[in-house]
Structures are given as structure tokens and as C-alpha cells.
Amino acid sequence: MKRLTPVLDYSTFYPGHQTPKEPLEIIKGYDLEMVVLTMIGLRNSLDRNRYQHQKDGAVENIIGNLPPEKARRLKAFLGSGHSFTFVQSAVIDKIVLDLFKSLKDNQITRELNDGQYEQRIFDVLLSYNEHYYDNGILDRSFTNHELMWTLVMMQGVSRVSKVDFVRTGLIKHLLMLDFLQKSLGADFIALQKSFRERTGLETIYFFIMSLRHIFDFLERSGALVPQLQRQDSSLSYLEPMELLINKKVASEENFNMGMMLSKPFFETSAGTIYVIDHRNFSLISERAFMYLLFYKTNYQKLAGFKNMNGLLAHFGKKYYEEFLMGTLLRSLEKQGVRLLESDDIFLADFTLIVNETEVFVFEIKSVAQHYRIFDEQSAEELQKHVDKNYVEGKKGISQLDRYITYIKQDDKKLLQIRNSSHKLNIYPVIICTDPKAATYGINDYVGQKADEVFSKFEADFKKVMPLTMIQADFFVDNISLLSKDKTMLKKLINEYHYFLKREKQRFKKDGTSQNLIRSMTSFDQYAIDKFGAFTLPQEQIYYDLKEIFQLNISD
């Protein structure tokens, strides 16, 4: 993970000077569309070079255009023993959003080559850093999750990566389309017709075809802000599928961070189209597709829900739980491994029993954090979200508590496990569909609450493991490995909790923020490369899932 360092801000670089209250006034008069591209190029360069400033051409370009004394001081800040981070991706996203909102009022009176442009860009970055970061947090005692989450969000440690799209984005979207076809039956033709009428595009498959085509271009391009070719046929799909930002879209009253993150293409006033964000392609292919289904098709009528929340609830139950996870977990059944599916109040969504001794109690949670939680760096709102959806009420921990209580007696003979409860190892697991659920500390926070509840089972079973929160993508990526080795999940969970225990002991000894965050690593972050997890080639994942879901598609 990225090393935690203070962020260079205005008051640190200019001691005794007042930080500008309206930072964008510093660049007033410049072509803001070009400023947008400058900021995006810097952000992409920092991400690509993993914030190693000495290797970063975009940072060097800014340094090279500063007055000599400023350049010397900036190099000293970035290269000292207590080095600073120049700027984080999160703050550049905020700058870009504000720039987009300002496009409608842009009056160009200055030239980019006036000798001051890079200096003014530099001051804008320092000003935003001042407004959005609290460097003092690095010196505090990390005694609670809320403070730790503030640090994680401030440093941009947990972000959706383009790797998610490279490995499984395409196949997961094909699974969504397969679900629509199988669940709608003959009505899928009506869905296609409504999409064609509302967008002018021939088929709903254009959505993923376009993203895949453009993503392949990006992988070949290597440019920090790739420009799409005008003759590219995919460009005609971007506007009707609402993937494009231009001055008109940016001037809409409801244009916000969520809209910006779901629209990775920018069209300038001259008609040139740039790819401004390919970090979130996986997010776009899943979440933006929900928007497309709701507003660009008649799926609401066909499936019978009332609003967008109804659509998300429908997909959570019918797609993520029953279709995606149900099919994946059923594929694990073989000699010594059996699966029970249930809507019964006594049993979990899925119970996987291995060798009649290891019992995995799976609860599926299809609930997403609102983008504003990370946009506003609100650790308080993150904790409220986690409490509401995983800790409090009738969901999450209380559900698992009820299921484990039933396993102890199995008085209705729903499980029919051959061994007595005292010979069983129980593995309570929440399977999450939201990538942000893998944020550092969430499993630890929910797990501490669960430990208080599950402690009453100490005498009832051989062992009840601590709660483990696992991404649904873990099963998508690794289902063939799990199928080949029925003990793989058990070994991973056992080793994961041993790792957390060891890292917490190190934190108690050293007390550094870096040790604390390592002790709050998510299961999915820990599992990378363990027993081959997350290492299978994309092509193999594709063919494995094609067989499991019996996808009727050509290669």
C-alpha cells in the first residue's frame, strides 16, 4: 500500500500567507477546458508512477516552470527525510469537478504560454490541499475507527482500480446480460426494442462493447489523457448512453461527483473527445448500467419495481444473490461439499458444509456506499453506513447470530450435519457486492461488534471464527481454484485472521499509523497471491465462468 505522508499545503509552502478562499480565482482567464486536461494529466501521472515524484514527468514539468527559488523549495519538500506528497487523486477530482461547474462562465483572457500558468496551477493545488486535508491527523493517537477512516480517505488509500475491469469487468457485464435474458425470457426482445427507441442504438450490448473497445485502445495508447480518434464508431454511442461530459452536461444543476465519476469521457468545445478517467471502468460497467436500465429501457415495467431504489433492491436479490452467488456457490458442490440455499428465517442465504466439520454461513449484502461519503471524506457518515447495514437492526450480525443459534440444535433437521455441534468449526461470512466494503477497517469494526455477540457460542462449537467480510468478486475471480481445493477458503480465512492478530500486536508495540492500517487489511487485499488467488489469467476466468453459467456466446 502507499506510504502515508503529509500533503503539501499552501500555509506550509507559504508560511505567513493567507490561503485563497476561492482557489479557482487564481487561474481566472485561462481556458478552463485546458486546465481540466492539465489536472487530469497530473492525476493520471501520479497514479501511474505511484506518487514517486522523482520519476513523475508531470510533476517535473511543474517544477521546471516555477521560478528557481520556488522550484528548489518544492524539490526539498518532496525529497526530504519527512517528504511530503504533492497532491492526492482525491483532491484533483474535487478540482476537476469545480472546473467543470465553472465552464459555463469561462471567459478566456490569458494564454497558457504566458509564463505564469504552471505557477498558478501549483498554487491552486496547494490551496485545495489546505482546504481538504488535515496533516495533523498523522501525529494523533489512532484509538478509534473513525479517525483511521479519516486518514484512509484523506490519503486516497482505498480506490477502485482499472484492474477490476481488466480481469473481470467484461465477463461480469456479460453475466448481467445473461441474467436479463434468462429472467425476462421472451420479454428480453421488448427490453431491446425500448432501448433502441430511447437511444437510437441497435442493441443494449453496445454498452459493454463500446467500453471494451475504448479500454483496449487505452491499454495500447499510453497517453496520460488519451484522445479518441474522430473516425472511431464508438464515439456515437457515448452521448445516448450518457457517458459523456461536455459544457452542457457540466452546467446542469445536479451535476455532481457521482455523475462525474460515471462519465469517463470529456468533449471539448472544439468537439475533441478525451478519456479522462479509466480508473472506474468496472464501477461504470455495473453501476452506470443500472442507470441505463432504469432510464433508457422499459425494464421498470417488465420487472415490476417503482423507482431506482426498487431496481437496486431487485438486482440485489435476483441477480447478485440468487443468480450470481447462487450459481457460483452451487458449482462448488461435490463429494464432501454440500450447499444449502434458503429463504427460511432459520438458515442463511447459503450454508456451505465441507467434510461435515466446516460450516460456512454466508449472508449476501448488496448495498453500496454513497459516493459522497468518500467525496466529502466523512468518516462519521461511513460509520453510520456500516452500522445501519452490517451492525444494527435485523440485518448483518443479527442475521448471522440467528443462523448460528439454529445450527447448534438443527431441531427442524434443515441441515442434517452428521457431526455434533461440538465438532463443528463455524465460519460466519458476509459476502459484499460493493467494492468499497473492502475499505481498511470495515471488517475489523464489524468484526469487533460480531465478537461481542458470537462469544456466547464458545461452549457450543469446536470454534466460531471471527466474522469475515468477502467481496463477491473474490468468488468470480477464484471460483475454479475454490472448486479444485475444497479447503482453500478455510485456509485463507484462518490465515487472514492470524495475520490480523499478528499485525495488531505489532501496532501495540510500535503504535504507528502504518501498522494500524495493516492490522485492518480487508480479506480481499490479504488474499492476493495466497494459494493462487487473483492470479488466474483473464482468459481462464472467462472460460471457467462461461462453463459454470452455461453462457450461450461465441468466443
Side-chain angles (χ1 to χ4, degrees):
M1 59 173 282
K2 190 167 56 181
R3 188 166 61 90
L4 302 176
T5 57
V7 178
L8 184 61
D9 56 29
Y10 197 91
S11 61
T12 301
F13 195 82
Y14 298 113
H17 292 255
Q18 186 173 358
T19 306
K21 293 182 179 179
E22 301 292 338
L24 292 190
E25 287 293 312
I26 299 171
I27 51 172
K28 186 175 181 179
Y30 290 106
D31 183 347
L32 295 186
E33 291 185 339
M34 296 307 298
V35 180
V36 165
L37 297 177
T38 298
M39 292 295 181
I40 290 167
L42 175 61
R43 182 199 65 198
N44 292 347
S45 184
L46 288 166
D47 283 347
R48 178 182 296 181
N49 293 297
R50 300 180 181 273
Y51 292 80
Q52 297 179 41
H53 300 114
Q54 295 84 355
K55 300 179 181 179
D56 199 302
V59 174
E60 284 300 313
N61 181 62
I62 290 177
I63 293 175
N65 284 280
L66 293 177
E69 179 58 21
K70 274 190 179 181
R72 184 194 64 76
R73 294 185 62 235
L74 177 56
K75 285 183 178 180
F77 275 113
L78 300 182
S80 65
H82 300 285
S83 61
F84 285 74
T85 293
F86 185 25
V87 66
Q88 299 281 2
S89 295
V91 80
I92 297 181
D93 286 341
K94 295 176 186 296
I95 297 173
V96 171
L97 177 64
D98 289 345
L99 287 168
F100 275 136
K101 289 180 176 181
S102 302
L103 288 181
K104 62 180 183 297
D105 301 320
N106 188 201
Q107 299 293 324
I108 303 174
T109 59
R110 305 181 68 102
E111 297 293 332
L112 298 181
N113 60 356
D114 65 355
Q116 297 186 33
Y117 179 66
E118 285 79 7
Q119 295 184 56
R120 290 173 180 267
I121 290 291
F122 175 64
D123 287 346
V124 168
L125 292 167
L126 295 185
S127 299
Y128 269 84
N129 284 346
E130 185 81 36
H131 289 300
Y132 288 104
Y133 288 113
D134 175 12
N135 283 325
I137 193 173
L138 294 171
D139 299 321
R140 298 178 198 171
S141 174
F142 290 85
T143 56
N144 61 65
H145 291 86
E146 189 172 329
L147 189 61
M148 194 275 301
W149 285 328
T150 299
L151 173 63
V152 167
M153 289 189 280
M154 185 183 85
Q155 293 278 331
V157 170
S158 181
R159 298 191 68 86
V160 179
S161 168
K162 69 174 185 176
V163 173
D164 299 323
F165 187 83
V166 172
R167 290 183 59 77
T168 58
L170 176 63
I171 184 63
K172 285 194 296 182
H173 191 80
L174 290 174
L175 292 177
M176 279 189 174
L177 292 169
D178 186 58
F179 161 74
L180 289 173
Q181 281 189 295
K182 290 175 178 175
S183 61
L184 290 175
D187 282 340
F188 187 73
I189 297 174
L191 180 80
Q192 287 272 52
K193 181 181 177 182
S194 67
F195 178 77
R196 186 163 55 248
E197 291 172 347
R198 298 183 190 189
T199 66
L201 303 176
E202 189 63 27
T203 171
I204 200 168
Y205 283 86
F206 273 133
F207 180 81
I208 192 61
M209 289 163 58
S210 299
L211 288 185
R212 182 71 225 194
H213 171 74
I214 292 170
F215 194 86
D216 287 343
F217 162 75
L218 294 177
E219 293 296 280
R220 297 190 305 268
S221 167
L224 290 176
V225 191
Q227 177 182 334
L228 298 180
Q229 302 301 313
R230 287 181 178 271
Q231 63 269 28
D232 193 325
S233 59
S234 296
L235 300 188
S236 62
Y237 310 149
L238 300 182
E239 190 164 5
M241 289 192 293
E242 301 193 17
L243 296 174
L244 192 68
I245 300 174
N246 53 30
K247 187 178 290 188
K248 179 182 176 183
V249 171
S251 63
E252 293 175 5
E253 190 173 339
N254 64 339
F255 185 76
N256 55 31
M257 184 66 74
M259 290 180 67
M260 188 180 82
L261 293 178
S262 64
K263 300 177 188 295
F265 307 99
F266 172 44
E267 181 182 28
T268 67
S269 300
T272 307
I273 295 180
Y274 294 90
V275 184
I276 57 173
D277 197 344
H278 52 92
R279 299 166 302 167
N280 296 309
F281 263 47
S282 184
L283 181 68
I284 293 165
S285 66
E286 291 188 47
R287 300 292 164 79
F289 187 64
M290 296 294 100
Y291 177 90
L292 195 73
L293 272 181
F294 189 79
Y295 289 104
K296 301 295 183 178
T297 74
N298 64 344
Y299 189 57
Q300 179 181 4
K301 177 181 178 181
L302 294 174
F305 50 84
K306 294 181 179 180
N307 49 36
M308 178 61 81
N309 287 336
L311 168 62
L312 297 176
H314 172 79
F315 250 71
K317 177 67 176 177
K318 297 298 181 180
Y319 172 71
Y320 286 110
E321 180 181 327
E322 296 179 2
F323 182 79
L324 180 66
M325 290 309 308
T327 305
L328 289 171
L329 292 175
R330 280 191 292 273
S331 74
L332 298 178
E333 288 192 284
K334 57 183 177 181
Q335 185 175 1
V337 182
R338 57 191 180 97
L339 180 74
L340 284 85
E341 305 174 52
S342 178
D343 280 327
D344 193 292
I345 61 171
F346 300 106
L347 294 183
D349 294 331
F350 301 97
T351 305
L352 190 72
I353 304 170
V354 180
N355 295 331
E356 300 300 313
T357 56
E358 319 297 332
V359 182
F360 297 87
V361 184
F362 294 125
E363 184 64 24
I364 315 298
K365 293 292 293 183
S366 180
V367 58
Q369 295 176 37
H370 199 283
Y371 73 89
R372 286 199 183 96
I373 291 176
F374 272 70
D375 175 37
E376 297 171 0
Q377 299 176 15
S378 177
E380 180 182 357
E381 289 301 314
L382 176 58
Q383 183 168 325
K384 287 180 181 178
H385 168 84
V386 173
D387 284 338
K388 177 183 177 181
N389 292 287
Y390 300 102
V391 175
E392 300 171 350
K394 299 179 180 180
K395 300 179 180 180
I397 293 175
S398 64
Q399 288 175 303
L400 292 170
D401 176 31
R402 186 168 69 248
Y403 305 146
I404 297 172
T405 299
Y406 176 80
I407 293 172
K408 182 173 61 174
Q409 297 294 338
D410 193 18
D411 54 335
K412 298 183 182 296
K413 305 301 179 184
L414 300 175
L415 295 170
Q416 296 186 349
I417 300 176
R418 298 185 184 96
N419 286 314
S420 68
S421 64
H422 292 92
K423 295 182 179 180
L424 301 181
N425 293 311
I426 307 297
Y427 292 80
V429 176
I430 296 177
I431 297 177
C432 310
T433 64
D434 178 19
K436 290 290 189 185
T439 297
Y440 287 92
I442 289 183
N443 196 150
D444 184 76
Y445 177 80
V446 180
Q448 286 184 16
K449 305 293 184 181
D451 286 345
E452 297 172 8
V453 176
F454 298 161
S455 61
K456 64 186 177 184
F457 298 121
E458 186 174 343
D460 299 322
F461 300 96
K462 183 177 181 181
K463 188 173 183 61
V464 176
M465 288 295 295
L467 173 68
T468 309
M469 298 175 70
I470 304 178
Q471 292 287 296
D473 282 355
F474 169 81
F475 295 91
V476 175
D477 267 73
N478 304 298
I479 193 65
S480 64
L481 296 174
L482 294 168
S483 181
K484 290 175 183 176
D485 180 1
K486 63 184 179 182
T487 66
M488 177 179 170
L489 186 59
K490 165 191 169 181
K491 290 184 290 189
L492 271 175
I493 291 176
N494 287 341
E495 292 186 12
Y496 168 61
H497 288 287
Y498 175 78
F499 165 80
L500 296 183
K501 182 179 179 180
R502 185 189 68 201
E503 293 303 317
K504 286 182 179 180
Q505 290 172 344
R506 289 178 176 175
F507 171 66
K508 287 181 180 179
K509 179 180 179 181
D510 300 328
T512 67
S513 58
Q514 200 80 21
N515 286 339
L516 173 67
I517 291 181
R518 279 181 57 82
S519 75
M520 295 194 180
T521 299
S522 73
F523 172 85
D524 298 83
Q525 291 161 334
Y526 170 79
I528 295 172
D529 290 334
K530 308 294 191 305
F531 303 104
F534 295 108
T535 63
L536 293 178
Q538 180 193 34
E539 186 176 9
Q540 183 176 340
I541 296 172
Y542 169 78
Y543 283 112
D544 290 339
L545 294 175
K546 182 180 178 182
E547 180 179 352
I548 289 171
F549 286 88
Q550 298 182 333
L551 295 178
N552 185 25
I553 52 178
S554 63
D555 298 333

